[in-house]
């Protein structure tokens, strides 16, 4: 049931963002990230992509929840509770990757952008990482 509930919420948010996307960046409504704030085109692109990915993964999660319910696997609630958040992370990850590709194609990727997949931490003496 948690997959059905979370998938329904994701579909609802995706539809709302698709019908009425945020006009300017704010912390309450719309998709907001560092790459989405580079310029107006990247913000519009991020709003559209985030809504489509929310609809896609919300539908997948809803369908999985329905199949789980039909098969009677509801009793494995702990497994579903430990895995449902992945469907919340996937739209964010895919939106950021799409934004990076969009900005790279246009040559507008900020020079101070650090790709999270390329971060390497070096241990130093003491308590801080470099």
């Amino acid at each position: 049931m948690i997959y059905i509930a979370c998938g329904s919420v994701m579909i609802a948010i995706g539809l709302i963002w698709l019908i009425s996307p945020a006009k300017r960046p704010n912390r309450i409504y719309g998709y907001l990230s560092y790459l989405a704030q580079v310029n107006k085109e990247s913000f519009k692109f991020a709003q559209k992509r985030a809504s489509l990915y929310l609809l896609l993964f919300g539908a997948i999660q809803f369908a999985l929840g329905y199949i789980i319910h039909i098969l009677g696997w509801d009793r494995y609630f702990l497994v579903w509770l430990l895995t449902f958040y992945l469907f919340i992370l996937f739209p964010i990850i895919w939106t950021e990757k799409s934004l990076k590709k969009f900005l790279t194609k246009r040559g507008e990727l900020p020079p101070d952008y650090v790709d999270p997949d390329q971060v390497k931490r070096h241990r130093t003496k003491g308590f801080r990482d470099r």
Side-chain angles (χ1 to χ4, degrees):
M1 294 302 278
I2 193 164
Y3 271 45
I4 292 174
C6 188
S8 299
V9 170
M10 288 173 65
I11 290 171
I13 292 172
L15 281 174
I16 291 170
W17 285 2
L18 190 63
I19 293 169
S20 176
K23 305 295 183 217
R24 55 186 158 66
N26 74 43
R27 298 194 183 279
I28 297 172
Y29 183 72
Y31 184 83
L32 186 65
S33 73
Y34 175 66
L35 290 180
Q37 295 180 30
V38 170
N39 55 33
K40 287 184 180 183
E41 290 81 21
S42 68
F43 184 73
K44 287 181 182 178
F45 181 81
Q47 300 308 306
K48 181 76 127 177
R49 282 295 165 115
S51 67
L52 294 176
Y53 286 140
L54 278 171
L55 286 171
L56 172 70
F57 285 105
I60 291 170
Q61 190 170 19
F62 184 86
L64 279 174
Y66 187 71
I67 291 169
I68 288 167
H69 182 69
I70 293 296
L71 294 176
W73 292 352
D74 292 334
R75 63 180 175 259
Y76 302 115
F77 181 74
L78 187 59
V79 173
W80 313 135
L81 187 63
L82 293 174
T83 58
F84 87 97
Y85 68 89
L86 294 174
F87 287 95
I88 297 171
L89 293 176
F90 289 149
I92 297 168
I93 293 168
W94 281 27
T95 302
E96 286 298 310
K97 289 196 181 285
S98 296
L99 263 171
K100 181 184 171 203
K101 191 182 296 182
F102 173 77
L103 290 171
T104 302
K105 245 194 242 182
R106 296 172 55 117
E108 297 174 346
L109 194 66
D112 62 341
Y113 176 71
V114 178
D115 190 4
D117 296 333
Q118 303 300 324
V119 173
K120 294 184 178 158
R121 298 193 185 272
H122 300 285
R123 292 301 236 176
T124 59
K125 287 186 177 180
F127 298 104
R128 294 185 292 162
D129 286 344
R130 221 187 304 178

